[in-house]
Amino acid sequence: MLIFRLKSILSKTVFLAVLLFNSCAQPPRANVQVNEEIPSSWQIPLPSQSDLTGEWWEVFSDTLFSQHLNTFQSNSPDLLSIVTRLEIAEQTAKINGAGVFPSINIGNSGSVRKQNLSAFGFSSNMLGFGSNDSTNEGSNSSVISFDSQNYGLNVNMQWELDIWGKLINQRRAAFKDYEASKNDLAYLQFSLSAQFTTVYYNAVESKIQYKLALETSRAIEDVRKIVKDRYANGLASSLELRLAESSLAVNRIQLENLKSQSKRSIRALELLMGKYPSGTLGVSSKFSHDLPSVPDGIQSEILERRPDVQAAINNVEASTYRLIQSKRNRLPSFALTASGGTSTSDLKKLLNGDFSVWNLGANVTAPIFQGGRLKANVALSESQLTLAEQNAVKIILTAFSEVEQSLADDLGIQKQYEAVRVAEEQTEAAYQLAVDRYENGVTDLITVLNSQQQWFNTRSTEVSIEKQRIINRINLLLALGGDFSVNAQ
């Protein structure tokens, strides 16, 4: 019966507390528009990149690259650590936002105690027991003692009623902190994927440069053969033969350097993918030449999808909630406490309702003097909000700057690419003409070797510019927060 009364009182108290909470705990609207809905749980997995950035990797039309990028996103130690850090951020948000809920604990206790009357200042002689003979002073029979046992089972509840909305704003701030962490980590994921793309196409460039060096070596050997034939027929001097041999030897040095550089770039790529750095990973043999042009109708609002911009906005919202909380910490706090259970000297009767005990209380605490702590906390929260707003402005301006610079670089690289294509065509024709004229004895070997070197230098420059086109496109995608679609979210 007593337990039933306790349940009834607790039910009514909780019902009244919920009414007070719903009617008084709603905070005023902050200057920054925030989401009023507080989800009960969060999903651990990092959002798919395509949800935030679109499938930006498809602009390169490189199937092998897409396969390696997928492996990187699945196995990269750096990306796997992001998931762990996101789990930490989620648990931190739950801990910091748990104050809005009641705290309920269950406990079980048991004790056995032996006590003698001498501990209370009594002796057996005072009570008329025992003997006054000094020989019995040390005898245990002259000491009267008693045993006691106590067992308890109890449930304790403590709940601070959020009359002024202090705790709900603390929870909202914690949730916004989690959102900021999630967006920061999502942008880090995008950045790491962009870095992987850069390393990948560096490896592609090294492979193409090495193949170009092999072609150069074969071309120099062809020239040397022509010189040797002319020398055997008395049409070329020993100086020309030595120049041809020297040119071939220098090319072999460059060939070995490029081979080593290609292996080094492949191993760097394998490390990023979480693979053993054997230097055997296959990469594309050429660059994509059909990169889509940047559409003219891209709106500046597309930058709002950048995760780092969203994180900056989340930090402003979290700081706003903390400012509201700091101001309301100066108001009185209301708390309910309740406990119920059983207490008995017989362990068998621990679950017997006849031995039930309960307690119900309410506390009101109002801050009177805190040494300026609460006032300073408000000032601190205001400064943190100002700092968060300034940081958000800085991040947004930086995003605009990165887009503007990438667009300008894209135009400049495109002009360089068009010019180097013309230069490559002209230097190749000049080399072929020089070889023909040398075979006919019209020009000297120096002209042939110079035109040959100029042709292959131009081809090497063309490869570097092609790689730079892709790298700048990666930078533009990173600056825009994903592909060129304004609908990518």
Side-chain angles (χ1 to χ4, degrees):
M1 186 68 181
L2 192 58
I3 293 178
F4 178 77
R5 286 185 58 200
L6 176 61
K7 291 181 178 179
S8 177
I9 293 173
L10 286 176
S11 299
K12 293 178 180 179
T13 304
V14 171
F15 177 73
L16 292 175
V18 170
L19 289 179
L20 287 172
F21 178 80
N22 288 333
S23 61
C24 304
Q26 296 298 324
R29 298 287 295 188
N31 292 331
V32 180
Q33 295 297 322
V34 295
N35 183 10
E36 297 293 339
E37 296 296 329
I38 305 297
S40 58
S41 62
W42 299 280
Q43 294 181 353
I44 286 294
L46 201 65
S48 171
Q49 276 200 38
S50 59
D51 294 339
L52 298 171
T53 64
E55 297 180 348
W56 55 271
W57 52 88
E58 292 186 354
V59 305
F60 302 113
S61 302
D62 190 333
T63 303
L64 186 56
F65 162 69
S66 298
Q67 293 174 356
H68 288 332
L69 179 63
N70 182 64
T71 301
F72 166 75
Q73 293 175 345
S74 302
N75 300 333
S76 169
D78 292 328
L79 290 182
L80 292 177
S81 69
I82 289 178
V83 177
T84 302
R85 291 162 64 181
L86 186 59
E87 291 174 353
I88 294 173
E90 181 201 11
Q91 302 308 322
T92 301
K94 287 183 176 181
I95 292 171
N96 294 335
V100 72
F101 300 111
S103 174
I104 302 176
N105 301 295
I106 186 170
N108 184 24
S109 63
S111 65
V112 178
R113 184 181 183 186
K114 182 177 182 179
Q115 185 68 53
N116 59 66
L117 294 178
S118 62
F120 300 94
F122 298 103
S123 68
S124 58
N125 293 333
M126 294 176 61
L127 298 176
F129 300 103
S131 172
N132 292 327
D133 192 343
S134 61
T135 59
N136 294 328
E137 288 179 0
S139 175
N140 290 333
S141 61
S142 63
V143 179
I144 298 177
S145 62
F146 59 91
D147 297 333
S148 65
Q149 300 178 5
N150 184 266
Y151 302 96
L153 180 64
N154 58 82
V155 177
N156 299 311
M157 186 274 289
Q158 184 171 358
W159 187 11
E160 181 177 350
L161 300 180
D162 196 18
I163 303 299
W164 318 114
K166 293 184 292 184
L167 299 178
I168 192 63
N169 280 289
Q170 180 180 351
R171 178 172 171 80
R172 286 168 175 163
F175 175 64
K176 287 301 177 181
D177 285 338
Y178 170 71
E179 281 193 83
S181 297
K182 184 172 67 174
N183 283 314
D184 278 333
L185 292 174
Y187 189 66
L188 178 58
Q189 181 192 28
F190 187 16
S191 299
L192 289 174
S193 298
Q195 292 176 20
F196 171 82
T197 307
T198 299
V199 174
Y200 178 84
Y201 283 107
N202 283 337
V204 173
E205 181 194 16
S206 296
K207 180 179 180 180
I208 297 175
Q209 294 285 11
Y210 177 66
K211 290 174 59 179
L212 180 57
L214 287 174
E215 292 182 27
T216 304
S217 180
R218 289 191 290 267
I220 294 176
E221 288 178 352
D222 291 341
V223 171
R224 185 187 65 168
K225 183 177 182 301
I226 294 173
V227 174
K228 289 182 68 175
D229 290 342
R230 287 176 59 80
Y231 179 76
N233 295 325
L235 299 176
S237 65
S238 60
L239 175 61
E240 291 178 326
L241 181 60
R242 292 180 183 276
L243 287 174
E245 294 289 354
S246 175
S247 178
L248 183 60
V250 170
N251 175 261
R252 286 171 178 168
I253 296 174
Q254 296 175 345
L255 190 63
E256 289 302 317
N257 286 335
L258 289 172
K259 182 179 180 180
S260 177
Q261 181 178 344
S262 179
K263 286 291 184 181
R264 188 181 302 111
S265 60
I266 291 294
R267 287 191 174 94
L269 192 62
E270 290 170 333
L271 282 176
L272 289 177
M273 296 173 65
K275 295 179 175 291
Y276 181 80
S278 61
T280 58
L281 184 71
V283 296
S284 305
S285 301
K286 60 181 180 179
F287 294 115
S288 175
H289 295 284
D290 57 350
L291 293 180
S293 58
V294 181
D296 296 332
I298 290 184
Q299 301 175 0
S300 60
E301 288 79 3
I302 195 174
L303 293 183
E304 294 180 1
R305 69 173 177 176
R306 276 182 53 153
D308 59 332
V309 173
Q310 286 296 320
I313 295 175
N314 293 148
N315 286 328
V316 173
E317 294 169 338
S319 297
T320 302
Y321 282 132
R322 287 196 182 90
L323 177 58
I324 297 173
Q325 178 194 357
S326 65
K327 291 180 178 179
R328 296 181 183 182
N329 282 338
R330 306 173 75 173
L331 300 174
S333 298
F334 301 86
L336 293 178
T337 59
S339 65
T342 58
S343 178
T344 176
S345 60
D346 188 350
L347 182 60
K348 297 180 180 180
K349 298 178 180 180
L350 188 62
L351 300 179
N352 191 333
D354 293 336
F355 295 90
S356 62
V357 293
W358 59 273
N359 176 58
L360 184 63
N363 299 322
V364 179
T365 304
I368 297 178
F369 178 74
Q370 297 284 330
R373 181 178 62 86
L374 296 179
K375 183 178 181 181
N377 192 37
V378 172
L380 175 62
S381 299
E382 290 175 343
S383 298
Q384 289 175 336
L385 175 58
T386 301
L387 185 62
E389 292 171 342
Q390 293 171 345
N391 185 60
V393 171
K394 178 182 177 181
I395 290 177
I396 293 173
L397 290 177
T398 300
F400 279 115
S401 175
E402 290 172 351
V403 173
E404 292 287 359
Q405 187 61 48
S406 296
L407 290 174
D409 290 344
D410 192 74
L411 292 175
I413 292 172
Q414 183 60 33
K415 291 180 180 180
Q416 293 179 46
Y417 182 70
E418 293 172 357
V420 78
R421 291 293 300 273
V422 175
E424 192 272 334
E425 181 180 351
Q426 294 300 323
T427 53
E428 180 183 12
Y431 168 66
Q432 296 297 339
L433 180 60
V435 171
D436 291 341
R437 289 170 66 86
Y438 177 74
E439 287 182 314
N440 294 324
V442 178
T443 189
D444 56 14
L445 180 62
I446 297 297
T447 302
V448 175
L449 295 178
N450 286 341
S451 61
Q452 183 188 65
Q453 189 63 42
Q454 187 175 7
W455 178 38
F456 285 106
N457 285 345
T458 303
R459 293 180 65 186
S460 178
T461 302
E462 181 181 3
V463 172
S464 296
I465 292 177
E466 286 180 332
K467 192 275 298 276
Q468 191 57 42
R469 288 179 68 210
I470 291 180
I471 298 302
N472 189 71
R473 187 55 55 88
I474 296 170
N475 293 336
L476 179 58
L477 292 170
L478 186 61
L480 289 173
D483 61 22
F484 301 139
S485 172
V486 296
N487 295 322
Q489 296 293 335

